[in-house]
Amino acid sequence: MNIIAKVGPGQLVGCYLREARYEFMRLARTPAFVLPTLLFPAFFYLLFGVVLSRGVTSVDAGRYLLATYGVFGIMGASLFGFGVSVAIERERGFLTFKRALPMPAGAYLFAKLIMAMGFAAIISIMLATLAASVAGVSLAPWQWLALFVVNVFGTMPFCAIGFWIGTMASGSAAPAVVNLIYLPMAFLSGLWLPLKVLPDVISRFAPIWPSYQLSQIALGVVGGGTGGSPVVHVLVLLAMTALFFTLAQRRLAASGRLPGP
Amino acid sequence: MADRSTHVLAELRGACKRYGKQQALAGIDLQLHAGEVLAVLGPNGAGKSTAIGLLLGLVTIDEGEVSLFGQSPNNLAARRKVGVMLQQAGIPENCKVRELLEVTRGYYAEPRTIADCVALAGLEGLLGRNYGGLSGGQQRRVQFALALCGRPQLLFLDEPTTGLDVEARQALWRAIRELVGQGCSVLLTTHYLEEAEALADRVAVINNGRLVAEGSVEEIRARVAHKRIRCRTRLNADQIGAWPHVLAASVAAGRIEIVADMAEPVIRRLLAEDTELAELEVQRAGLSEAFIELTREAA
């Protein structure tokens, strides 16, 4: 064969998109992932934001928890969807198989990021619908939109952390490791209960958690944050994303060629 | 044939690879030429999969050189000419067969159509199924389809028929022959000699990370066209080992086992030197014994 067959830019984009679409569809067909990922944030929001806060401050609680349960929800989608699947696929040899194929650099990780963002978008819309209908939260159009954007792009640091866990934990241990990080971090960042009502030491250390950083941006959008600059929070989150992504890539590099960019 | 000697598709030169204390490859030279089917034979742990891993860039080389279509195996353009079937693909169970094929085809410049893949690999009726719901043989066929879907010039098949029943194995052999007929070269690892005999132009036997023998199936067989002589005797194995035509002599289960390139003179002398010799048995070594012999010599 003397024909020099090249893969053009259009075909490359096609590779990335197809990989992402099928990754999303694959997890969407997995009830063990979909049900907790989508239902827990909605259920907790209804329980704590609506049912248990009937009273004077119900609208405030509805707003606060709309922001924080959004962060809680997208953390779950990212840590489980990204981290656990990398751990399983690494352990079972699928990652090796993918690396043997001429998959474009980065398509594997891109697909998982887009999958997490897709679930984050669904969680965001579900919570917004519940907030607007049942909890009586009313926000300006830009606030609804900003919250959606924060939730979707807020997946990045948690995907990086998930990726890092996925390069270290075995497939069977990964869900436990994720839970060990996910649930305490959510609590210590004030996602379930406002930091105001928690012991002082917890709020003093809260800024070290990426979930705190992201929740402050989300709370800033709905008018309930501590008033810190969102730019600083964004920079901290970007730094955390880069750190964990680099750690994960190093772990993988130690076992051969990188699948990433 | 002239083209064959000049056109090397994949090559290892003096390849060494060590995992901790274990030397997986100890300086292997291996060449795969255009248009040929090369079978790499060896027992488990011989280094076959490591050799494939090096050629695909999955494993980094410690010493020596590796090239794929004249380039580093990390080069995407080189790997686009290659189809891969690994021993373990680890494909997630909730993947649909059609999705797997579409994603994998998409990596290649001029992939086969889905219909061609289905016909070549025998996937009729499986496209809409979840990979996890397929039988072992069906999963193997899907993996084979993923290997050929990119219209590769070179196929790496790492123990493609392990765990398949006879019928499924022969069906896969037919499919591999069809691809070879279309001009595809194949590097195949196996520990089934029949598989090498059925498919390969050339055989490379490796053991303990070294190349033990290399040649056509006939050459390999001829190289070890030994006779195996067993008997019960009071003669000493070390003495017999020094006789002409005797290649090896050892004691196994109370009997002496002799490998000789010619049986008759050895037997004549055995009978002459030990009149009480008993349970004499002579066998012609088959390819599988030849293979055992080759790997044992190297050990």
Side-chain angles (χ1 to χ4, degrees):
Chain A
M1 277 219 279
N2 289 319
I3 309 149
I4 299 168
K6 286 211 170 136
V7 174
Q11 200 184 343
L12 267 185
V13 171
C15 272
Y16 277 75
L17 295 182
R18 204 176 301 111
E19 195 95 31
R21 181 156 53 107
Y22 289 143
E23 181 67 12
F24 180 84
M25 284 163 57
R26 183 170 74 81
L27 280 167
R29 281 196 299 264
T30 311
F33 173 73
V34 174
L35 295 178
T37 302
L38 297 186
L39 295 185
F40 278 174
F43 172 75
F44 286 144
Y45 181 68
L46 277 180
L47 188 67
F48 295 106
V50 182
V51 179
L52 295 180
S53 66
R54 289 261 180 246
V56 206
T57 61
S58 78
V59 172
D60 273 355
R63 276 226 291 241
Y64 183 95
L65 295 178
L66 169 64
T68 59
Y69 275 119
V71 172
F72 175 74
I74 66 115
M75 277 170 77
S78 310
L79 290 169
F80 283 101
F82 207 116
V84 174
S85 68
V86 168
I88 292 173
E89 288 165 12
R90 186 178 55 85
E91 186 177 69
R92 296 184 51 176
F94 189 56
L95 186 55
T96 304
F97 178 59
K98 285 291 217 184
R99 283 156 63 170
L101 294 173
M103 178 177 61
Y108 178 78
L109 299 177
F110 175 82
K112 293 202 183 292
L113 177 66
I114 296 299
M115 173 276 302
M117 286 180 161
F119 280 98
I122 296 172
I123 291 166
S124 195
I125 290 168
M126 278 173 72
L127 288 179
T129 310
L130 288 174
S133 58
V134 190
V137 173
S138 79
L139 294 174
W142 76 265
Q143 286 175 303
W144 289 117
L145 190 67
L147 211 49
F148 180 79
V149 170
V150 167
N151 281 336
V152 169
F153 286 92
T155 50
M156 288 167 66
F158 303 104
C159 283
I161 294 170
F163 182 29
W164 182 59
I165 296 170
T167 59
M168 292 191 298
S170 71
S172 48
V177 175
V178 164
N179 269 324
L180 217 58
I181 291 170
Y182 176 39
L183 300 177
M185 196 158 77
F187 175 73
L188 296 173
S189 309
L191 300 188
W192 293 342
L193 295 168
L195 287 170
K196 276 181 288 191
V197 306
L198 295 173
D200 192 40
V201 64
I202 292 183
S203 43
R204 198 146 356 119
F205 282 102
I208 64 170
W209 310 115
S211 42
Y212 171 85
Q213 301 286 342
L214 185 64
S215 70
Q216 287 307 309
I217 301 176
L219 286 168
V221 169
V222 299
T226 51
S229 161
V231 177
V232 175
H233 295 306
V234 168
L235 289 177
V236 171
L237 288 172
L238 282 175
M240 286 175 166
T241 306
L243 170 71
F244 286 106
F245 184 76
T246 310
L247 286 175
Q249 285 284 47
R250 270 217 197 128
R251 287 276 316 173
L252 279 189
S255 62
R257 202 180 59 237
L258 298 178
Chain B
M1 276 307 194
D3 180 44
R4 176 175 287 198
S5 59
T6 53
H7 199 160
V8 175
L9 302 188
E11 186 173 23
L12 289 177
R13 270 192 307 275
C16 292
K17 180 67 193 176
R18 181 177 277 285
Y19 298 108
K21 280 184 182 166
Q22 195 207 342
Q23 183 90 47
L25 290 179
I28 278 214
D29 294 301
L30 208 59
Q31 282 193 332
L32 182 83
H33 305 279
E36 79 173 345
V37 179
L38 170 67
V40 178
L41 279 170
N44 285 327
K48 304 188 296 286
S49 293
T50 304
I52 284 209
L54 283 176
L55 288 166
L56 289 169
L58 295 172
V59 177
T60 48
I61 198 163
D62 290 345
E63 268 175 67
E65 282 175 63
V66 52
S67 78
L68 189 61
F69 290 94
Q71 291 168 305
S72 154
N74 290 332
N75 185 305
L76 215 53
R79 288 215 313 288
R80 280 201 191 100
K81 299 176 186 171
V82 171
V84 187
M85 185 169 173
L86 298 180
Q87 273 183 61
Q88 268 195 322
I91 294 169
E93 298 187 342
N94 47 6
C95 282
K96 298 244 184 259
V97 173
R98 177 189 291 281
E99 294 172 3
L100 282 166
L101 266 174
E102 283 185 359
V103 165
T104 310
R105 282 177 77 242
Y107 299 149
Y108 293 90
E110 293 176 321
R112 288 194 158 86
T113 62
I114 298 267
D116 279 357
C117 297
V118 168
L120 273 164
L123 298 185
E124 290 81 7
L126 301 183
L127 283 181
R129 300 268 301 274
N130 270 356
Y131 181 79
L134 303 179
S135 72
Q138 289 170 329
Q139 291 188 343
R140 234 33 203 148
R141 296 214 298 272
V142 171
Q143 291 167 26
F144 183 64
L146 296 179
L148 62 83
C149 71
R151 208 186 295 275
Q153 296 174 39
L154 169 56
L155 267 180
F156 284 97
L157 305 173
D158 196 0
E159 312 216 348
T161 60
T162 299
L164 293 186
D165 59 35
V166 178
E167 208 176 313
R169 177 172 302 166
Q170 285 178 348
L172 195 59
W173 287 354
R174 274 197 300 277
I176 293 171
R177 279 195 207 104
E178 191 171 338
L179 289 178
V180 171
Q182 294 175 16
C184 187
S185 309
V186 177
L187 192 154
L188 163 92
T189 73
T190 181
H191 49 239
Y192 298 120
L193 290 147
E194 318 90 88
E195 194 152 289
E197 269 188 298
L199 296 171
D201 305 312
R202 203 155 60 84
V203 176
V205 182
I206 64 178
N207 192 35
N208 291 324
R210 288 175 204 284
L211 193 62
V212 181
E214 193 186 357
S216 67
V217 174
E218 286 69 30
E219 279 167 351
I220 294 289
R221 208 196 330 236
R223 205 190 126 170
V224 276
H226 307 330
K227 301 292 187 331
R228 184 178 299 276
I229 304 162
R230 292 194 190 86
C231 61
R232 200 172 286 282
T233 172
R234 52 185 175 76
L235 296 172
N236 182 308
D238 291 339
Q239 289 175 337
I240 299 173
W243 292 1
H245 300 293
V246 173
L247 301 168
S250 57
V251 181
R255 299 206 296 178
I256 283 200
E257 202 173 293
I258 302 161
V259 180
D261 57 7
M262 265 173 83
E264 294 78 3
V266 178
I267 293 168
R268 215 169 283 134
R269 188 161 167 190
L270 276 171
L271 294 170
E273 295 205 7
D274 179 5
T275 48
E276 288 166 27
L277 183 137
E279 295 180 34
L280 178 66
E281 198 181 307
V282 184
Q283 278 182 338
R284 183 183 193 279
L287 187 50
S288 77
E289 278 172 307
F291 168 67
I292 292 164
E293 204 55 52
L294 280 169
T295 53
R296 195 183 287 167
E297 277 168 24

